[in-house]
Amino acid sequence: MPQVTIYDKTGKNVGSLDLKKEVFEVPVKECHLHMAVKRQLNNKRAGTAHTKTRGEVSGGGKKPWRQKGTGRARHGSIRSPIWKGGGTTFGPRMRDYATAMPRKMRRLALREALSAKVKAGQLLVLEKIAMDAISTRTFAAMMKDLKLEGKTLFIVKEIDEIVEKSGRNIPGVRIVKPEGINVYDTLYFDNLVFEKEALKHVEEVLS
């Protein structure tokens, strides 16, 4: 059973916590992670890019000139793709990029991503993230005390306005509730920092 150290916001060791092995000690399969990330990125795509074909461009109902005898090339419409103002050939069309993935497989992929973070030593647990006043400097000092470098995702039980406003101006920092954690963010951020209560909530949902 994997075990992590619990810290306070000054970086002091205040205890340890046993993690559920069915959530944080799962064999990692890259195919599952790839499918989950691809699905998430695809579902973000708007799919609103749209060009008109020659049949959708207005005008061009009349043949520009007669077929023979003019010495010019044959044309049937001024809205042909080779004319200025004509339709577009093989241009983007409005479409839905949404990709389906079974719910059980999505949860499995998240468990695998969390297991990979634990194995890499990139998952940290804090007793509580609390601040008395909005201060980016204080939040940055807390990260320094915890030796957090690079992009960091904080998962808190409840979003506190003081904490959220203190951390949002720091590049590479994001604060979310347990419901907001996903495979892409888990792999994208260099560090995951859980509040103890938020971690328990994730364990209950995924186990």
Side-chain angles (χ1 to χ4, degrees), residues 24 35 73 115 147 170 184 205:
F24 293 98
M35 290 174 62
S115 299
K147 299 178 181 180
I170 301 176
Y184 178 81
V205 172

Side-chain angles (χ1 to χ4, degrees), residues 89-151:
T89 305
F90 303 126
R93 305 288 289 174
M94 190 177 295
R95 56 167 292 189
D96 182 11
Y97 287 94
T99 304
M101 186 176 180
R103 183 182 181 188
K104 287 185 178 180
M105 189 175 290
R106 296 201 305 268
R107 290 195 169 194
L108 175 60
L110 182 54
R111 289 195 292 268
E112 291 177 4
L114 292 171
S115 299
K117 284 296 181 181
V118 172
K119 189 175 181 179
Q122 296 176 330
L123 189 146
L124 194 70
V125 180
L126 293 183
E127 183 69 35
K128 180 76 175 175
I129 304 176
M131 299 177 64
D132 298 326
I134 299 172
S135 173
T136 301
R137 181 178 298 178
T138 302
F139 198 97
M142 176 188 72
M143 292 184 63
K144 186 176 181 180
D145 291 337
L146 293 169
K147 299 178 181 180
L148 295 172
E149 297 180 355
K151 300 181 291 291

Side-chain angles (χ1 to χ4, degrees), residues 8-19:
D8 62 13
K9 61 182 181 180
T10 65
K12 182 181 178 181
N13 184 338
V14 294
S16 61
L17 180 67
D18 291 328
L19 302 176

